[in-house]
Amino acid sequence: MSVSSPCEICATADVEAACDRCGKLVCSRHYDEELGLCIECAADVGEDDRENIPNSEDMPDGVDTYQF
Ligand SMILES: [Zn+2]
Ligand SMILES: [Zn+2]
Protein backbone atom coordinates (compact mmCIF):
# COMPACT_ATOMS: atom_id res chain seq x y z
CA MET A 1 0.00 0.00 0.00
CA SER A 2 1.09 3.55 -0.49
CA VAL A 3 1.94 5.00 2.85
CA SER A 4 3.72 7.94 1.38
CA SER A 5 0.70 10.12 0.83
CA PRO A 6 0.73 13.48 2.57
CA CYS A 7 -1.67 14.70 5.23
CA GLU A 8 -5.06 15.34 3.72
CA ILE A 9 -5.44 18.54 5.64
CA CYS A 10 -2.18 20.35 5.19
CA ALA A 11 -1.05 18.25 2.26
CA THR A 12 2.55 18.67 3.23
CA ALA A 13 3.42 16.61 6.28
CA ASP A 14 3.60 12.86 6.26
CA VAL A 15 0.60 10.88 7.34
CA GLU A 16 0.82 9.86 10.93
CA ALA A 17 -2.58 8.35 11.53
CA ALA A 18 -6.01 7.82 10.09
CA CYS A 19 -9.05 9.48 11.51
CA ASP A 20 -11.28 7.02 13.24
CA ARG A 21 -14.38 8.83 12.12
CA CYS A 22 -13.96 10.07 8.58
CA GLY A 23 -10.97 7.95 7.71
CA LYS A 24 -8.95 10.92 6.66
CA LEU A 25 -5.21 10.45 6.64
CA VAL A 26 -3.60 13.15 8.66
CA CYS A 27 -0.25 14.12 10.06
CA SER A 28 0.47 14.23 13.76
CA ARG A 29 -0.31 17.92 13.89
CA HIS A 30 -3.76 17.40 12.52
CA TYR A 31 -4.51 14.32 14.50
CA ASP A 32 -5.97 14.29 17.98
CA GLU A 33 -4.48 11.30 19.70
CA GLU A 34 -6.84 11.53 22.63
CA LEU A 35 -9.89 11.21 20.47
CA GLY A 36 -8.31 9.27 17.69
CA LEU A 37 -9.77 11.70 15.20
CA CYS A 38 -8.54 14.28 12.79
CA ILE A 39 -8.75 17.84 14.06
CA GLU A 40 -11.84 18.46 12.00
CA CYS A 41 -13.74 15.62 13.58
CA ALA A 42 -12.19 16.36 16.94
CA ALA A 43 -13.53 19.87 16.78
CA ASP A 44 -16.85 18.51 15.66
CA VAL A 45 -17.20 15.83 18.27
CA GLY A 46 -15.17 17.10 21.17
CA GLU A 47 -17.04 20.33 21.33
CA ASP A 48 -20.29 19.23 22.84
CA ASP A 49 -19.38 15.80 23.95
CA ARG A 50 -17.49 16.23 27.14
CA GLU A 51 -15.58 18.61 29.31
CA ASN A 52 -16.52 22.23 29.31
CA ILE A 53 -18.83 23.89 26.92
CA PRO A 54 -17.43 27.34 26.26
CA ASN A 55 -20.42 29.10 24.85
CA SER A 56 -24.07 28.34 25.18
CA GLU A 57 -27.23 29.71 26.59
CA ASP A 58 -26.11 27.77 29.58
CA MET A 59 -24.16 30.55 31.19
CA PRO A 60 -26.12 33.47 32.56
CA ASP A 61 -22.96 35.37 33.10
CA GLY A 62 -24.06 38.88 32.22
CA VAL A 63 -26.67 39.17 34.97
CA ASP A 64 -28.34 42.38 33.87
CA THR A 65 -27.78 44.57 30.84
CA TYR A 66 -27.63 41.88 28.25
CA GLN A 67 -30.16 42.79 25.68
CA PHE A 68 -29.64 41.85 22.13
ZN1 LIG B 1 -1.37 17.98 8.42
ZN1 LIG C 1 -11.97 13.00 10.65
Side-chain angles (χ1 to χ4, degrees):
M1 303 291 275
S2 56
V3 195
S4 55
S5 55
C7 167
E8 291 188 32
I9 293 180
C10 62
T12 54
D14 291 331
V15 169
E16 194 73 27
C19 174
D20 205 39
R21 189 173 182 235
C22 67
K24 190 170 293 187
L25 300 173
V26 293
C27 66
S28 56
R29 288 183 61 184
H30 295 113
Y31 180 72
D32 193 319
E33 290 185 34
E34 286 185 37
L35 300 175
L37 307 172
C38 68
I39 56 165
E40 293 181 349
C41 290
D44 208 38
V45 176
E47 207 157 291
D48 61 17
D49 191 36
R50 54 170 132 176
E51 295 191 50
N52 47 16
I53 302 168
N55 59 340
S56 258
E57 66 272 277
D58 195 43
M59 273 191 164
D61 182 59
V63 190
D64 48 47
T65 66
Y66 72 102
Q67 54 185 206
F68 234 175

